[in-house]
Amino acid sequence: MSAGFLSVLSQAQRYITERVRGGEPVIDATTGNGVDTLFLAKQSGPGGTVFAFDVQAEALERTRARLANAASAGERLAQVELLLAGHEEMSTRVPSEYHGRIAAIMFNLGYLPGADEKLTTQPDTTLIALVSALMLLRGGGVLTIVIYPGHEGGDAEAAAVEQWVSTIPPTIAQCVMYRFPQKTASPYLIAIVKK
Ligand code: SAH
């Protein structure tokens, strides 16, 4: 029996684990259920900070509960700032002393499972946030974007993100795509490492 490839979400976490050092500041651009927020809080760890964005209070509540459970189970976590704000405000919501020092930023696009499926990330604001994210990263820092082409509007957002990524000068950052070509409607990953 051969071992399968890592899932898209696991591969995103792998790229992060390889690059974040304990105590470094990181960002979750789409908190959602908080799975990545908790992952980032473990990676950054004590002394570190996670800035976590979502436009739905419900998402931040689910995340707050997930973090509290982990903390009471003895996990050593970074300080997490849960921000009820759009990620397009990232460059003003993250204090200026952190600019150029962020080690990792995760995006998980689309809608929050179990909530309003019409409330999805949108190409215009996603692109504003991605440009800010690239500016906030330190050299060697990593940006991961999990893209969902399968839902209504998701294909247009996927195309917009790919178009933007293809214009990033190689002197600024290196980009990679991780995708299962037999499953064209399934989520896939773009990762960006800043030079
Ligand atoms: N599609 C993934 C989950 C994505 S959750 C899955 O199926 O597992 C995406 C989150 O982004 C949602 O919680 C949603 O509220 C949030 N979101 C939407 N627009 C946003 C914005 N402008 N800024 C920050 N978060 C946003």
Side-chain angles (χ1 to χ4, degrees):
M1 200 181 83
S2 65
F5 293 110
L6 283 183
S7 72
V8 160
L9 296 174
S10 297
Q11 183 64 52
Q13 294 190 344
R14 161 92 47 115
Y15 287 137
I16 304 274
T17 305
E18 288 167 352
R19 290 172 180 84
V20 174
R21 299 181 287 255
E24 287 197 298
V26 296
I27 298 175
D28 189 343
T30 49
T31 300
N33 282 319
V35 174
D36 285 334
T37 313
L38 175 57
F39 164 76
L40 286 167
K42 289 181 193 169
Q43 295 302 309
S44 174
T49 305
V50 184
F51 297 97
F53 290 85
D54 208 292
V55 292
Q56 294 191 72
E58 169 69 18
L60 298 183
E61 275 316 310
R62 292 185 196 180
T63 301
R64 195 189 310 280
R66 187 183 297 277
L67 292 166
N69 275 340
S72 61
E75 293 277 7
R76 292 164 51 75
L77 304 177
Q79 177 197 330
V80 180
E81 306 267 346
L82 294 172
L83 301 165
L84 183 61
H87 44 217
E88 62 277 14
E89 295 178 23
M90 197 184 285
S91 62
T92 51
R93 291 303 194 111
V94 173
S96 56
E97 66 258 34
Y98 290 96
H99 293 197
R101 289 182 44 217
I102 304 294
I105 306 178
M106 301 184 85
F107 284 77
N108 191 355
L109 302 177
Y111 56 81
L112 178 64
D116 182 356
E117 298 192 1
K118 295 216 159 49
L119 213 165
T120 71
T121 53
Q122 298 292 327
D124 289 358
T125 40
T126 297
L127 288 182
I128 292 170
L130 288 172
V131 170
S132 300
L134 194 50
M135 182 202 76
L136 291 171
L137 281 182
R138 65 160 164 79
V142 64
L143 170 54
T144 61
I145 314 157
V146 176
I147 300 172
Y148 294 76
H151 66 82
E152 203 186 317
D155 48 351
E157 186 172 43
V161 172
E162 284 195 39
Q163 150 62 21
W164 173 71
V165 167
S166 70
T167 65
I168 300 173
T171 49
I172 302 292
Q174 185 190 35
C175 307
V176 70
M177 194 182 297
Y178 182 79
R179 188 169 195 175
F180 295 83
Q182 295 155 304
K183 297 183 175 179
T184 51
S186 293
Y188 62 100
L189 169 65
I190 291 180
I192 302 176
V193 170
K194 189 163 171 181
K195 290 272 169 80

PDB file of all heavy atoms in Angstrom, residues 6 10 30 35 38 86 118 144 154 168 170 178:
ATOM      1  N   LEU A   6      -0.046  14.440   1.306  1.00  0.00           N
ATOM      2  CA  LEU A   6      -0.669  15.229   2.369  1.00  0.00           C
ATOM      3  C   LEU A   6      -1.886  15.963   1.827  1.00  0.00           C
ATOM      4  O   LEU A   6      -1.889  16.380   0.672  1.00  0.00           O
ATOM      5  CB  LEU A   6       0.315  16.287   2.884  1.00  0.00           C
ATOM      6  CG  LEU A   6       1.438  15.865   3.816  1.00  0.00           C
ATOM      7  CD1 LEU A   6       2.220  17.108   4.239  1.00  0.00           C
ATOM      8  CD2 LEU A   6       0.884  15.148   5.036  1.00  0.00           C
ATOM      9  N   SER A  10      -3.036  20.083   5.411  1.00  0.00           N
ATOM     10  CA  SER A  10      -1.820  19.615   6.092  1.00  0.00           C
ATOM     11  C   SER A  10      -0.565  20.155   5.414  1.00  0.00           C
ATOM     12  O   SER A  10       0.421  20.479   6.072  1.00  0.00           O
ATOM     13  CB  SER A  10      -1.759  18.093   6.114  1.00  0.00           C
ATOM     14  OG  SER A  10      -2.845  17.582   6.842  1.00  0.00           O
ATOM     15  N   THR A  30      -8.316  34.448   8.012  1.00  0.00           N
ATOM     16  CA  THR A  30      -9.706  33.950   7.941  1.00  0.00           C
ATOM     17  C   THR A  30      -9.896  32.937   9.058  1.00  0.00           C
ATOM     18  O   THR A  30      -9.737  31.729   8.860  1.00  0.00           O
ATOM     19  CB  THR A  30      -9.960  33.259   6.582  1.00  0.00           C
ATOM     20  OG1 THR A  30      -8.896  32.327   6.338  1.00  0.00           O
ATOM     21  CG2 THR A  30     -10.047  34.238   5.431  1.00  0.00           C
ATOM     22  N   VAL A  35      -9.310  26.306  13.467  1.00  0.00           N
ATOM     23  CA  VAL A  35      -8.339  25.198  13.398  1.00  0.00           C
ATOM     24  C   VAL A  35      -6.934  25.740  13.112  1.00  0.00           C
ATOM     25  O   VAL A  35      -5.964  25.381  13.787  1.00  0.00           O
ATOM     26  CB  VAL A  35      -8.763  24.160  12.334  1.00  0.00           C
ATOM     27  CG1 VAL A  35      -7.694  23.091  12.162  1.00  0.00           C
ATOM     28  CG2 VAL A  35     -10.094  23.521  12.725  1.00  0.00           C
ATOM     29  N   LEU A  38      -5.553  27.908  16.104  1.00  0.00           N
ATOM     30  CA  LEU A  38      -4.950  27.092  17.171  1.00  0.00           C
ATOM     31  C   LEU A  38      -3.591  26.558  16.722  1.00  0.00           C
ATOM     32  O   LEU A  38      -2.614  26.585  17.485  1.00  0.00           O
ATOM     33  CB  LEU A  38      -5.882  25.930  17.542  1.00  0.00           C
ATOM     34  CG  LEU A  38      -5.333  24.926  18.552  1.00  0.00           C
ATOM     35  CD1 LEU A  38      -4.919  25.597  19.867  1.00  0.00           C
ATOM     36  CD2 LEU A  38      -6.353  23.813  18.831  1.00  0.00           C
ATOM     37  N   GLY A  86     -12.442  42.843   8.806  1.00  0.00           N
ATOM     38  CA  GLY A  86     -12.070  42.234   7.535  1.00  0.00           C
ATOM     39  C   GLY A  86     -10.560  42.220   7.366  1.00  0.00           C
ATOM     40  O   GLY A  86      -9.871  43.155   7.799  1.00  0.00           O
ATOM     41  N   LYS A 118     -23.569  32.063   1.923  1.00  0.00           N
ATOM     42  CA  LYS A 118     -23.457  33.221   1.012  1.00  0.00           C
ATOM     43  C   LYS A 118     -22.406  34.211   1.514  1.00  0.00           C
ATOM     44  O   LYS A 118     -21.962  35.088   0.779  1.00  0.00           O
ATOM     45  CB  LYS A 118     -24.815  33.924   0.883  1.00  0.00           C
ATOM     46  CG  LYS A 118     -25.859  33.044   0.222  1.00  0.00           C
ATOM     47  CD  LYS A 118     -26.785  33.847  -0.669  1.00  0.00           C
ATOM     48  CE  LYS A 118     -27.485  32.982  -1.701  1.00  0.00           C
ATOM     49  NZ  LYS A 118     -28.115  31.767  -1.118  1.00  0.00           N
ATOM     50  N   THR A 144       0.214  31.349   3.121  1.00  0.00           N
ATOM     51  CA  THR A 144      -0.493  30.214   2.510  1.00  0.00           C
ATOM     52  C   THR A 144      -1.933  30.631   2.211  1.00  0.00           C
ATOM     53  O   THR A 144      -2.564  31.326   3.014  1.00  0.00           O
ATOM     54  CB  THR A 144      -0.492  28.966   3.422  1.00  0.00           C
ATOM     55  OG1 THR A 144      -1.158  29.264   4.650  1.00  0.00           O
ATOM     56  CG2 THR A 144       0.920  28.470   3.699  1.00  0.00           C
ATOM     57  N   GLY A 154     -16.554  30.981  -6.179  1.00  0.00           N
ATOM     58  CA  GLY A 154     -15.219  30.519  -5.795  1.00  0.00           C
ATOM     59  C   GLY A 154     -14.264  30.455  -6.979  1.00  0.00           C
ATOM     60  O   GLY A 154     -13.063  30.709  -6.828  1.00  0.00           O
ATOM     61  N   ILE A 168       3.646  38.593  -9.261  1.00  0.00           N
ATOM     62  CA  ILE A 168       4.618  38.938  -8.211  1.00  0.00           C
ATOM     63  C   ILE A 168       6.030  38.746  -8.782  1.00  0.00           C
ATOM     64  O   ILE A 168       6.370  37.646  -9.226  1.00  0.00           O
ATOM     65  CB  ILE A 168       4.439  38.050  -6.960  1.00  0.00           C
ATOM     66  CG1 ILE A 168       3.032  38.225  -6.374  1.00  0.00           C
ATOM     67  CG2 ILE A 168       5.494  38.375  -5.914  1.00  0.00           C
ATOM     68  CD1 ILE A 168       2.717  37.248  -5.243  1.00  0.00           C
ATOM     69  N   PRO A 170       9.737  37.708  -9.200  1.00  0.00           N
ATOM     70  CA  PRO A 170      10.506  36.672  -8.498  1.00  0.00           C
ATOM     71  C   PRO A 170      11.544  37.241  -7.546  1.00  0.00           C
ATOM     72  O   PRO A 170      11.995  36.536  -6.646  1.00  0.00           O
ATOM     73  CB  PRO A 170      11.191  35.900  -9.642  1.00  0.00           C
ATOM     74  CG  PRO A 170      10.398  36.214 -10.861  1.00  0.00           C
ATOM     75  CD  PRO A 170       9.811  37.575 -10.670  1.00  0.00           C
ATOM     76  N   TYR A 178       0.006  23.728  -4.915  1.00  0.00           N
ATOM     77  CA  TYR A 178      -0.123  22.324  -4.506  1.00  0.00           C
ATOM     78  C   TYR A 178      -1.563  21.924  -4.797  1.00  0.00           C
ATOM     79  O   TYR A 178      -2.505  22.452  -4.184  1.00  0.00           O
ATOM     80  CB  TYR A 178       0.199  22.208  -3.014  1.00  0.00           C
ATOM     81  CG  TYR A 178       0.168  20.799  -2.446  1.00  0.00           C
ATOM     82  CD1 TYR A 178       1.236  19.926  -2.631  1.00  0.00           C
ATOM     83  CD2 TYR A 178      -0.919  20.356  -1.694  1.00  0.00           C
ATOM     84  CE1 TYR A 178       1.207  18.644  -2.090  1.00  0.00           C
ATOM     85  CE2 TYR A 178      -0.955  19.081  -1.154  1.00  0.00           C
ATOM     86  CZ  TYR A 178       0.118  18.229  -1.358  1.00  0.00           C
ATOM     87  OH  TYR A 178       0.093  16.968  -0.821  1.00  0.00           O
TER      88      TYR A 178
END
